[in-house]
Structure formats: C-alpha cells, structure tokens
Amino acid sequence: MTGRRITTLSYLYTPADNNRRLAGAFGHGADAVIADLEDSVAAVAKEQARANVREWLQRRQANDGEHWVRTNAGLSGLDDIAAVFTPGVFGFCLPKVSSHAELRQAAELLDSLEATFHLPSQSIRLMPLIESAEAIVALTEIAQAPRVLKLQLGELDLAADLGIDPDLNETELLPLRMQALVASIAAGILPPVGAVSRNFIDDEAFRMTTERLKRLGYVGRAAIHPNQLPTIHHAFSATADELAIARSLVERYERSVAAGTGAFRGVDGTMIDEAVIRSSRRILSLFNTEREQENS
C-alpha cells in the first residue's frame, strides 16, 4: 500500500490498557484502529487505559488512519468520551446501544466538546455497536441518530443475547446482517462494518466469511488480530480492472441517455440499464483515483 486508503476497509481493535500495542497498532497496516476501553480492559485498568488513549490521540501522525475509541456502555461511555477527548479522535464506537436517546446524549456531549476545542461542528462521528435484540428492534432509529457514520454488529454478544449458535457458514446471522444493511441504506449512512471473528488461525474460513460479507453489501470488517487484515483488504478492495469496467459502463450509459436511449447491450450481451449503473457508480464513489493507483 503506497498511501492511505480512500475507503476505510479494516478496523483493528486494540486493548487500550496495553500502551505498547496501542502505540504500534497502525504499523500493521490497518485503515483504522479502535482503541478499546470496554471488554478487553479489566475494571482495575480502566483509568490507565483512558490515560493511554489520551496519549495515543495526542501522538497522532498525519499519515495514520482513523483513530476510533470504543467506550464502555451506558453512562460510563459518556465519562470515557469526556475523559479521552482530544482533536486527534475520529470517532467513538458506542457498545450495547439500544435506542436513539443514548446516541443523542453522546451527540450533545460532542457538541460541547467540539466547541471547547474549537473543532468544526459535527466533525466527530459515532459508530453504534448493535449487540442485543432491543437494538435490532430499534435499528431504524439508531441508524438515523445524529453523527452516526455507520453501524457495526457485535455478533458475539448479539448471538448470546438471542441464543443463536452460528454454524461455520454463519447462516443464522444472515437475517440480522440484512436488517443492519437495510437500516443503513434507508438512513442514508454508509454500509455497515462486518463484525469481528475470533478465528485468526483458519485463514480459509475467515476469507470465506469475509467475502460473504462483501457480497451482502458490507464495506470493510473489524479485526482482533493483525493476521486478519490482509484478508479483509483483499476481499473488499476494488481492482484496477473493476474500476475501469465501472467507469466504462457509466460513460457508455451517459452517452446512451444523451442519445435518447435508456439501456444498451454490454460487451457480454447482457442488458445495461440504470440499475446496473447504480452499482458501477457505487464502486466509483467508494474507490477513487488514488485508490486505483494503490491497486494497480
């Protein structure tokens, strides 16, 4: 990779109580790092983890990717935001969100912090983690909440809450993934981020589930181990050939429409119309010229 990715594909969770790992997290090639204050940090280490995150954000380098922080759940999460906030943060992952009201509280706190630090309004984003049946029911209002950039399913917690025991193909999770995708697109936010997998040993199984997420319409996936990053990048990246085909189709379609025809026959004999072109435009909107150069 010759430079920063234009589209964020990989999110590497890193325990915030381990200062050494946090400091070196971007060295593994992740597009984004999520400093974790929640599940990976013992209660006795929470304050030290907050201090580590503040230092990490203050050391942010211009060529680093997105700096996210996963807070603790509920009111403790608001305390986390206030405690670690610096201008270096890109956004906050809020775990176990179940309502629009929780996100509104976080958004109001960020309004105040942005003003205090003289940052542009609405510049800090939120990524709610969907981890309960209650959250699934409230998906529409959660996706429409202020500052929400994208959703992420917390599938391990969600499966436990619902009593689901996914097979190797994760078939049982498909309806939940689809609901998150539909809610995101309807709300006009970015497609969801694929959930973490505890499997960082079986590369083939991880590749199959990651490619399945891409076919489902997801863009990117979270990781718990650097070994998972190459598979994520390969699965979700657009190749130079894919970008060239998408651009050619859009250009041909625009010429066709200008000539008074709404559809035309592609080189493989299939019909090309507005529905096909929407997919091509989506690819081009996600991956621009700088990204093409990285994949060529």
Side-chain angles (χ1 to χ4, degrees), residues 40-94:
S40 66
V41 178
V44 296
K46 296 288 187 183
E47 284 304 318
Q48 182 58 54
R50 283 178 172 180
N52 292 346
V53 170
R54 285 194 299 270
E55 181 182 348
W56 177 64
L57 292 173
Q58 290 164 356
R59 292 198 312 262
R60 183 183 185 279
Q61 300 296 310
N63 62 341
D64 286 343
E66 296 172 2
H67 287 59
W68 289 83
V69 178
R70 178 165 75 168
T71 68
N72 289 282
L75 295 178
S76 295
L78 299 179
D79 293 338
D80 287 333
I81 292 174
V84 307
F85 190 93
T86 78
V89 68
F90 184 89
F92 291 91
C93 298
L94 304 184

Side-chain angles (χ1 to χ4, degrees), residues 78-114:
L78 299 179
D79 293 338
D80 287 333
I81 292 174
V84 307
F85 190 93
T86 78
V89 68
F90 184 89
F92 291 91
C93 298
L94 304 184
K96 299 174 176 61
V97 168
S98 60
S99 71
H100 183 283
E102 296 171 64
L103 291 160
R104 186 172 63 248
Q105 283 183 301
E108 289 171 354
L109 174 58
L110 290 172
D111 288 343
S112 174
L113 290 167
E114 284 173 346

Side-chain angles (χ1 to χ4, degrees), residues 267-285:
V267 294
D268 60 354
T270 59
M271 182 186 72
I272 307 298
D273 60 6
E274 175 60 27
V276 177
I277 296 305
R278 285 179 65 186
S279 295
S280 295
R281 287 186 174 130
R282 178 177 183 270
I283 291 173
L284 294 176
S285 72

Side-chain angles (χ1 to χ4, degrees), residues 19-184:
N19 207 18
R20 180 184 59 81
R21 287 180 61 184
L22 195 58
F26 276 108
H28 300 294
D31 299 332
V33 169
I34 302 175
D36 186 21
L37 292 169
E38 196 207 14
D39 287 348
S40 66
V41 178
V44 296
K46 296 288 187 183
E47 284 304 318
Q48 182 58 54
R50 283 178 172 180
N52 292 346
V53 170
R54 285 194 299 270
E55 181 182 348
W56 177 64
L57 292 173
Q58 290 164 356
R59 292 198 312 262
R60 183 183 185 279
Q61 300 296 310
N63 62 341
D64 286 343
E66 296 172 2
H67 287 59
W68 289 83
V69 178
R70 178 165 75 168
T71 68
N72 289 282
L75 295 178
S76 295
L78 299 179
D79 293 338
D80 287 333
I81 292 174
V84 307
F85 190 93
T86 78
V89 68
F90 184 89
F92 291 91
C93 298
L94 304 184
K96 299 174 176 61
V97 168
S98 60
S99 71
H100 183 283
E102 296 171 64
L103 291 160
R104 186 172 63 248
Q105 283 183 301
E108 289 171 354
L109 174 58
L110 290 172
D111 288 343
S112 174
L113 290 167
E114 284 173 346
T116 299
F117 284 85
H118 306 290
L119 296 176
S121 177
Q122 305 293 306
S123 58
I124 310 302
R125 312 311 295 269
L126 296 175
M127 187 191 305
L129 280 156
I130 308 302
E131 302 181 276
S132 68
E134 189 177 6
I136 291 294
V137 171
L139 264 175
T140 297
E141 65 177 43
I142 289 173
Q144 294 174 345
R147 295 180 180 266
V148 172
L149 180 67
K150 55 184 72 174
L151 305 177
Q152 183 182 156
L153 289 182
E155 291 180 347
L156 299 177
D157 286 278
L158 186 55
D161 190 52
L162 296 173
I164 293 174
D165 182 18
D167 63 15
L168 291 177
N169 292 321
E170 302 175 342
T171 308
E172 294 78 7
L173 296 170
L174 179 59
L176 305 172
R177 292 172 174 175
M178 282 300 301
Q179 288 184 69
L181 177 72
V182 171
S184 298

Side-chain angles (χ1 to χ4, degrees), residues 172-228:
E172 294 78 7
L173 296 170
L174 179 59
L176 305 172
R177 292 172 174 175
M178 282 300 301
Q179 288 184 69
L181 177 72
V182 171
S184 298
I185 303 307
I189 63 175
L190 293 173
V193 175
V196 301
S197 170
R198 291 175 295 179
N199 183 1
F200 54 86
I201 297 174
D202 188 339
D203 293 337
E204 180 62 17
F206 185 70
R207 180 190 64 79
M208 290 177 61
T209 59
T210 303
E211 290 178 351
R212 187 174 295 115
L213 284 167
K214 181 186 180 181
R215 292 194 299 272
L216 190 60
Y218 279 54
V219 177
R221 186 170 193 177
I224 59 170
H225 195 281
N227 287 352
Q228 297 173 323

